[in-house]
Amino acid sequence: MADTHISVSAFARYRRGLVAAALAALVLTGCGGEARGGGTQAEPDKRAGSLTSSAQPGPEQAAFAAMLSTFGKKCPEPGRVDPRPTAGKQTGSEATASLAPGETPPAEPIEPGPLTGPAAELSDRDLCTSGHHEQRVVEALQEVADPTPVKVRKTLNSLGYIDEHIHGLQQDGTTTRFHLDLRESGGRLCVAGLAAGEESDASACVAPATGPFTVKTEE
């Protein structure tokens, strides 16, 4: 009986040792799993941080926004639209002022047509800021000889217009056409440009208030 008791006791101690070893292994495995899990979790956090930083405006975007704001401060508040002239009769001094020097006033009142195109659809702020952009763009492009798309983009970049807002650069013979997306504060302003040396030109156009940039064409 003593031998049997000793054998049973030894077996019990052996079994307890196996259980303890198994528990230790599980603990170590769990710690290792947590460490690996922590490493895996850090990657999404890091990627999320990168996405957040990329969503924030960089130096070029910030400078572009500041330029738009500078011009905007010289113009009416966003969304303001003064009454546009509509078809009607001009009489007296209005009719006389519209005549060229030496021209005889007509016997009947002059009836001007309503405004069309960008002037009829853009806000006063957009129309005002467009003038600032048009002037500086034309003056810069007049100095560009052989205005290829590459040269035109470089010139526009030097004025602060970033690539994300330059669209449709297309060479047409010896000239290059393009559009600038200048929408801000719910506005719809864009500028259509023609780089043609001394004959360079720029004029306001109408873009959607939101969404991808497109240019509204005349119907």
Coordinates of all heavy atoms in Angstrom, one line a residue, residues 119-182:
A119 N -22.3 87.2 -66.0 CA -22.7 88.4 -65.3 C -24.1 88.2 -64.7 O -24.5 88.9 -63.8 CB -22.7 89.6 -66.3
A120 N -24.9 87.4 -65.3 CA -26.3 87.1 -64.8 C -26.4 86.1 -63.7 O -27.3 86.1 -63.0 CB -27.2 86.7 -66.0
E121 N -25.3 85.3 -63.6 CA -25.4 84.1 -62.7 C -24.5 84.3 -61.5 O -24.7 83.7 -60.4 CB -25.1 82.8 -63.4 CG -26.1 82.5 -64.5 CD -25.9 81.1 -65.1 OE1 -25.9 80.2 -64.3 OE2 -25.6 81.0 -66.3
L122 N -23.4 85.0 -61.6 CA -22.4 85.1 -60.5 C -22.8 86.1 -59.5 O -23.5 87.1 -59.9 CB -21.0 85.4 -61.1 CG -20.4 84.3 -62.0 CD1 -19.0 84.8 -62.5 CD2 -20.2 83.0 -61.2
S123 N -22.4 85.9 -58.3 CA -22.7 87.0 -57.3 C -21.8 88.2 -57.5 O -20.8 88.1 -58.3 CB -22.4 86.4 -55.9 OG -21.0 86.1 -55.7
D124 N -22.1 89.3 -56.8 CA -21.3 90.5 -56.9 C -19.9 90.2 -56.5 O -18.9 90.8 -57.0 CB -21.9 91.6 -56.1 CG -23.3 92.0 -56.7 OD1 -23.5 91.8 -57.9 OD2 -24.1 92.5 -55.9
R125 N -19.7 89.4 -55.4 CA -18.4 89.1 -54.9 C -17.6 88.3 -56.0 O -16.4 88.7 -56.3 CB -18.5 88.2 -53.7 CG -17.1 87.8 -53.1 CD -17.4 86.8 -52.0 NE -16.1 86.3 -51.4 CZ -15.5 86.8 -50.4 NH1 -15.9 88.0 -49.9 NH2 -14.4 86.3 -50.0
D126 N -18.2 87.3 -56.7 CA -17.5 86.6 -57.7 C -17.1 87.5 -58.9 O -16.0 87.4 -59.4 CB -18.4 85.5 -58.2 CG -18.4 84.3 -57.3 OD1 -17.5 84.2 -56.4 OD2 -19.3 83.4 -57.4
L127 N -18.1 88.4 -59.3 CA -17.8 89.3 -60.4 C -16.6 90.2 -60.0 O -15.8 90.5 -60.9 CB -19.0 90.0 -60.8 CG -20.1 89.2 -61.5 CD1 -21.4 90.1 -61.6 CD2 -19.6 88.7 -62.8
C128 N -16.6 90.7 -58.8 CA -15.6 91.6 -58.4 C -14.2 90.9 -58.3 O -13.2 91.4 -58.8 CB -16.0 92.2 -57.0 SG -14.7 93.2 -56.2
T129 N -14.2 89.8 -57.7 CA -12.9 89.1 -57.5 C -12.4 88.6 -58.9 O -11.1 88.5 -59.1 CB -13.0 87.9 -56.6 OG1 -14.0 87.0 -57.0 CG2 -13.3 88.3 -55.1
S130 N -13.3 88.3 -59.8 CA -12.9 87.8 -61.1 C -12.0 88.9 -61.8 O -11.0 88.6 -62.4 CB -14.1 87.5 -62.0 OG -13.7 87.1 -63.3
G131 N -12.4 90.1 -61.6 CA -11.6 91.2 -62.2 C -10.2 91.3 -61.7 O -9.2 91.5 -62.5
H132 N -10.0 91.0 -60.4 CA -8.6 91.0 -59.9 C -7.8 89.8 -60.5 O -6.6 90.0 -60.9 CB -8.6 90.8 -58.4 CG -9.2 92.0 -57.6 ND1 -8.6 93.2 -57.6 CD2 -10.4 92.1 -57.0 CE1 -9.4 94.0 -56.9 NE2 -10.5 93.4 -56.5
H133 N -8.4 88.7 -60.6 CA -7.7 87.5 -61.2 C -7.4 87.7 -62.6 O -6.3 87.4 -63.1 CB -8.5 86.2 -60.9 CG -8.6 85.8 -59.5 ND1 -7.6 85.3 -58.8 CD2 -9.7 85.8 -58.7 CE1 -8.0 85.0 -57.6 NE2 -9.2 85.3 -57.5
E134 N -8.4 88.2 -63.4 CA -8.2 88.4 -64.8 C -7.1 89.3 -65.1 O -6.2 89.0 -66.0 CB -9.5 88.9 -65.4 CG -10.7 88.0 -65.4 CD -12.0 88.7 -65.7 OE1 -12.0 89.6 -66.5 OE2 -13.1 88.2 -65.2
Q135 N -7.0 90.4 -64.4 CA -5.9 91.4 -64.7 C -4.5 90.8 -64.4 O -3.7 90.9 -65.3 CB -6.1 92.6 -63.8 CG -5.1 93.7 -64.0 CD -5.3 94.9 -63.2 OE1 -6.3 95.0 -62.5 NE2 -4.4 95.9 -63.2
R136 N -4.3 90.2 -63.3 CA -3.0 89.7 -63.0 C -2.6 88.5 -63.9 O -1.4 88.3 -64.3 CB -2.9 89.3 -61.5 CG -3.7 88.1 -61.1 CD -3.9 88.1 -59.6 NE -2.6 88.0 -58.8 CZ -2.1 86.9 -58.4 NH1 -2.7 85.7 -58.6 NH2 -0.9 86.9 -57.8
V137 N -3.6 87.7 -64.2 CA -3.3 86.5 -65.1 C -2.9 87.0 -66.5 O -1.9 86.6 -67.1 CB -4.5 85.6 -65.2 CG1 -4.4 84.6 -66.3 CG2 -4.6 84.8 -63.9
V138 N -3.7 87.9 -67.0 CA -3.4 88.4 -68.4 C -2.0 89.1 -68.4 O -1.2 88.9 -69.4 CB -4.5 89.4 -68.9 CG1 -4.1 90.2 -70.1 CG2 -5.8 88.6 -69.1
E139 N -1.8 90.0 -67.4 CA -0.5 90.7 -67.4 C 0.7 89.7 -67.4 O 1.7 90.0 -68.1 CB -0.4 91.6 -66.2 CG -1.3 92.8 -66.3 CD -1.3 93.7 -65.1 OE1 -0.7 93.3 -64.1 OE2 -1.9 94.8 -65.1
A140 N 0.6 88.6 -66.7 CA 1.7 87.6 -66.6 C 1.8 86.9 -67.9 O 2.9 86.6 -68.4 CB 1.4 86.7 -65.4
L141 N 0.7 86.5 -68.5 CA 0.7 85.7 -69.7 C 1.2 86.5 -70.9 O 1.7 85.9 -71.9 CB -0.7 85.1 -70.0 CG -1.1 84.0 -69.0 CD1 -2.5 83.6 -69.4 CD2 -0.2 82.8 -69.0
Q142 N 1.0 87.8 -70.9 CA 1.5 88.6 -72.0 C 3.0 88.6 -72.1 O 3.5 88.9 -73.2 CB 1.0 90.1 -71.8 CG -0.5 90.2 -72.1 CD -0.9 91.7 -71.8 OE1 -0.3 92.4 -71.1 NE2 -2.0 92.1 -72.5
E143 N 3.7 88.2 -71.0 CA 5.1 88.1 -71.0 C 5.7 86.8 -71.4 O 6.9 86.6 -71.5 CB 5.7 88.5 -69.6 CG 5.2 89.9 -69.1 CD 5.7 91.0 -70.0 OE1 6.9 90.9 -70.5 OE2 5.0 92.0 -70.2
V144 N 4.8 85.8 -71.7 CA 5.2 84.5 -72.0 C 5.3 84.3 -73.5 O 4.3 84.3 -74.2 CB 4.2 83.4 -71.4 CG1 4.7 82.0 -71.8 CG2 4.1 83.6 -69.9
A145 N 6.5 84.1 -74.0 CA 6.7 83.8 -75.4 C 6.4 82.3 -75.7 O 6.8 81.5 -74.8 CB 8.1 84.2 -75.8
D146 N 5.8 82.0 -76.8 CA 5.5 80.6 -77.1 C 4.8 79.9 -76.0 O 5.4 79.0 -75.3 CB 6.8 79.8 -77.5 CG 6.5 78.4 -78.0 OD1 5.4 78.1 -78.4 OD2 7.4 77.5 -77.8
P147 N 3.6 80.3 -75.7 CA 2.9 79.8 -74.5 C 2.4 78.4 -74.6 O 1.2 78.1 -74.9 CB 1.7 80.8 -74.4 CG 1.4 81.2 -75.7 CD 2.8 81.3 -76.4
T148 N 3.3 77.5 -74.3 CA 2.9 76.1 -74.3 C 2.2 75.8 -73.0 O 2.3 76.5 -72.0 CB 4.2 75.2 -74.4 OG1 5.0 75.4 -73.3 CG2 4.9 75.5 -75.7
P149 N 1.5 74.6 -72.9 CA 0.9 74.3 -71.6 C 1.8 74.2 -70.4 O 1.5 74.6 -69.3 CB 0.3 72.9 -71.9 CG -0.1 73.0 -73.4 CD 1.1 73.7 -74.0
V150 N 3.0 73.7 -70.7 CA 4.0 73.6 -69.6 C 4.4 75.0 -69.1 O 4.5 75.3 -67.9 CB 5.3 72.9 -70.1 CG1 6.4 73.0 -69.0 CG2 5.0 71.4 -70.4
K151 N 4.6 76.0 -70.0 CA 5.0 77.3 -69.7 C 3.8 78.0 -69.0 O 4.0 78.8 -68.0 CB 5.4 78.1 -70.9 CG 6.8 77.7 -71.5 CD 7.1 78.6 -72.6 CE 8.5 78.2 -73.2 NZ 8.9 79.1 -74.4
V152 N 2.6 77.8 -69.5 CA 1.5 78.4 -68.9 C 1.2 77.9 -67.5 O 1.0 78.7 -66.5 CB 0.2 78.2 -69.7 CG1 -1.1 78.7 -69.0 CG2 0.4 78.9 -71.1
R153 N 1.4 76.6 -67.2 CA 1.2 76.1 -65.9 C 2.2 76.7 -64.9 O 1.9 77.1 -63.8 CB 1.3 74.6 -65.9 CG 1.1 74.0 -64.5 CD 1.3 72.5 -64.5 NE 0.4 71.8 -65.3 CZ -0.8 71.4 -64.9 NH1 -1.2 71.8 -63.7 NH2 -1.7 70.8 -65.7
K154 N 3.5 76.8 -65.4 CA 4.5 77.4 -64.6 C 4.2 78.8 -64.2 O 4.5 79.3 -63.1 CB 5.9 77.3 -65.3 CG 7.1 77.7 -64.5 CD 8.4 77.5 -65.3 CE 9.6 78.0 -64.5 NZ 10.8 77.8 -65.2
T155 N 3.7 79.6 -65.2 CA 3.4 81.0 -65.0 C 2.2 81.1 -64.0 O 2.3 81.9 -63.0 CB 3.0 81.7 -66.3 OG1 4.1 81.6 -67.2 CG2 2.6 83.1 -66.0
L156 N 1.2 80.3 -64.1 CA 0.1 80.3 -63.2 C 0.5 79.9 -61.8 O 0.1 80.5 -60.8 CB -1.0 79.4 -63.7 CG -1.7 79.8 -65.0 CD1 -2.7 78.7 -65.5 CD2 -2.4 81.1 -64.9
N157 N 1.4 78.9 -61.7 CA 2.0 78.5 -60.4 C 2.7 79.6 -59.7 O 2.6 79.8 -58.5 CB 2.9 77.3 -60.5 CG 2.2 76.0 -60.9 OD1 2.8 75.1 -61.4 ND2 0.9 75.9 -60.6
S158 N 3.4 80.4 -60.5 CA 4.2 81.5 -59.9 C 3.3 82.6 -59.4 O 3.7 83.4 -58.5 CB 5.1 82.1 -61.0 OG 4.4 82.8 -62.0
L159 N 2.1 82.6 -59.9 CA 1.1 83.6 -59.4 C 0.3 83.1 -58.1 O -0.5 83.8 -57.6 CB 0.1 84.0 -60.5 CG 0.6 84.7 -61.7 CD1 -0.5 84.9 -62.7 CD2 1.2 86.0 -61.3
G160 N 0.6 81.8 -57.8 CA -0.1 81.3 -56.6 C -1.3 80.3 -56.9 O -1.9 79.8 -56.0
Y161 N -1.5 80.1 -58.2 CA -2.6 79.1 -58.6 C -2.0 77.7 -58.6 O -1.1 77.4 -59.4 CB -3.2 79.5 -60.0 CG -3.7 80.9 -60.0 CD1 -3.0 82.0 -60.6 CD2 -5.0 81.2 -59.5 CE1 -3.5 83.3 -60.6 CE2 -5.5 82.5 -59.5 CZ -4.7 83.5 -60.0 OH -5.2 84.8 -60.1
I162 N -2.6 76.9 -57.8 CA -2.0 75.5 -57.6 C -2.6 74.6 -58.6 O -3.7 74.8 -59.2 CB -2.2 75.0 -56.2 CG1 -3.7 75.0 -55.8 CG2 -1.4 75.9 -55.2 CD1 -4.0 74.5 -54.4
D163 N -1.9 73.5 -58.9 CA -2.3 72.5 -59.9 C -3.7 72.0 -59.8 O -4.4 71.8 -60.7 CB -1.3 71.4 -60.0 CG 0.1 71.8 -60.5 OD1 0.1 72.8 -61.2 OD2 1.0 71.0 -60.3
E164 N -4.1 71.8 -58.5 CA -5.5 71.2 -58.3 C -6.6 72.2 -58.8 O -7.7 71.7 -59.0 CB -5.7 71.0 -56.8 CG -4.8 69.9 -56.2 CD -3.5 70.4 -55.7 OE1 -3.0 71.4 -56.2 OE2 -2.9 69.7 -54.8
H165 N -6.2 73.4 -59.0 CA -7.2 74.4 -59.4 C -7.0 74.9 -60.9 O -7.6 75.8 -61.3 CB -7.3 75.6 -58.5 CG -7.9 75.2 -57.1 ND1 -9.2 75.5 -56.8 CD2 -7.4 74.5 -56.1 CE1 -9.4 75.0 -55.6 NE2 -8.3 74.4 -55.1
I166 N -6.1 74.2 -61.6 CA -5.8 74.5 -63.0 C -6.3 73.4 -63.8 O -6.0 72.2 -63.6 CB -4.3 74.7 -63.2 CG1 -3.7 75.9 -62.4 CG2 -4.1 75.0 -64.7 CD1 -2.2 76.0 -62.5
H167 N -7.3 73.7 -64.7 CA -7.9 72.6 -65.5 C -7.9 72.9 -67.0 O -7.8 74.1 -67.4 CB -9.4 72.5 -65.1 CG -9.6 72.2 -63.6 ND1 -9.6 70.9 -63.1 CD2 -9.8 73.0 -62.5 CE1 -9.8 70.9 -61.8 NE2 -9.9 72.2 -61.4
G168 N -7.9 71.8 -67.7 CA -8.1 71.9 -69.2 C -7.0 72.6 -69.9 O -7.2 73.2 -71.0
L169 N -5.7 72.5 -69.5 CA -4.6 73.1 -70.2 C -4.5 72.4 -71.6 O -4.3 71.2 -71.6 CB -3.3 72.9 -69.5 CG -3.0 74.0 -68.4 CD1 -1.8 73.6 -67.6 CD2 -2.7 75.3 -69.1
Q170 N -4.8 73.2 -72.6 CA -4.8 72.5 -73.9 C -4.2 73.5 -75.0 O -4.7 74.7 -75.1 CB -6.2 72.1 -74.3 CG -6.3 71.4 -75.7 CD -7.7 70.9 -75.9 OE1 -8.6 71.1 -75.2 NE2 -7.9 70.3 -77.1
Q171 N -3.3 73.0 -75.7 CA -2.6 73.9 -76.7 C -3.5 73.9 -78.0 O -4.0 72.9 -78.4 CB -1.2 73.4 -77.1 CG -0.5 74.3 -78.0 CD 1.0 74.1 -77.9 OE1 1.5 73.1 -77.3 NE2 1.8 74.9 -78.6
D172 N -3.7 75.1 -78.5 CA -4.5 75.3 -79.7 C -3.7 76.1 -80.7 O -3.7 77.3 -80.6 CB -5.8 76.0 -79.3 CG -6.7 76.2 -80.5 OD1 -6.4 75.6 -81.6 OD2 -7.8 76.9 -80.4
G173 N -2.9 75.4 -81.5 CA -2.0 76.2 -82.4 C -0.9 76.8 -81.6 O -0.1 76.1 -81.0
T174 N -0.8 78.1 -81.7 CA 0.3 78.8 -81.0 C -0.2 79.4 -79.7 O 0.5 80.1 -79.0 CB 0.8 80.0 -81.8 OG1 -0.3 80.9 -82.1 CG2 1.4 79.5 -83.1
T175 N -1.4 79.0 -79.3 CA -2.0 79.5 -78.0 C -2.3 78.3 -77.1 O -2.4 77.2 -77.5 CB -3.3 80.3 -78.2 OG1 -4.3 79.5 -78.8 CG2 -3.0 81.4 -79.3
T176 N -2.6 78.6 -75.8 CA -3.0 77.6 -74.9 C -4.2 78.1 -74.1 O -4.2 79.2 -73.6 CB -1.8 77.3 -73.9 OG1 -0.8 76.6 -74.6 CG2 -2.3 76.3 -72.8
R177 N -5.2 77.2 -74.0 CA -6.4 77.5 -73.2 C -6.4 76.8 -71.9 O -5.8 75.8 -71.8 CB -7.7 77.2 -74.0 CG -7.8 77.9 -75.3 CD -9.1 77.5 -76.1 NE -9.1 78.3 -77.3 CZ -9.6 79.5 -77.5 NH1 -10.0 80.2 -76.4 NH2 -9.7 80.1 -78.6
F178 N -7.1 77.4 -70.9 CA -7.1 76.7 -69.6 C -8.3 77.3 -68.8 O -8.9 78.3 -69.2 CB -5.8 77.0 -68.8 CG -5.5 78.5 -68.6 CD1 -6.0 79.1 -67.4 CD2 -4.9 79.2 -69.5 CE1 -5.7 80.4 -67.2 CE2 -4.6 80.6 -69.3 CZ -5.1 81.2 -68.2
H179 N -8.6 76.7 -67.6 CA -9.6 77.2 -66.7 C -9.0 77.2 -65.3 O -8.2 76.3 -65.0 CB -10.8 76.4 -66.7 CG -11.7 76.6 -67.9 ND1 -11.5 75.8 -69.1 CD2 -12.7 77.4 -68.2 CE1 -12.4 76.2 -70.0 NE2 -13.1 77.2 -69.5
L180 N -9.4 78.2 -64.5 CA -9.0 78.3 -63.1 C -10.3 78.1 -62.2 O -11.2 78.8 -62.5 CB -8.4 79.6 -62.8 CG -7.0 79.9 -63.4 CD1 -6.6 81.3 -63.1 CD2 -6.0 78.9 -63.0
D181 N -10.2 77.2 -61.3 CA -11.3 76.9 -60.4 C -11.1 77.9 -59.2 O -10.1 77.7 -58.4 CB -11.3 75.5 -59.9 CG -12.4 75.2 -58.9 OD1 -13.2 76.1 -58.6 OD2 -12.4 74.1 -58.4
L182 N -11.9 78.9 -59.1 CA -11.7 79.9 -58.0 C -12.9 80.0 -57.1 O -13.2 81.0 -56.5 CB -11.5 81.3 -58.7 CG -10.3 81.4 -59.6 CD1 -10.3 82.7 -60.3 CD2 -9.0 81.1 -58.9

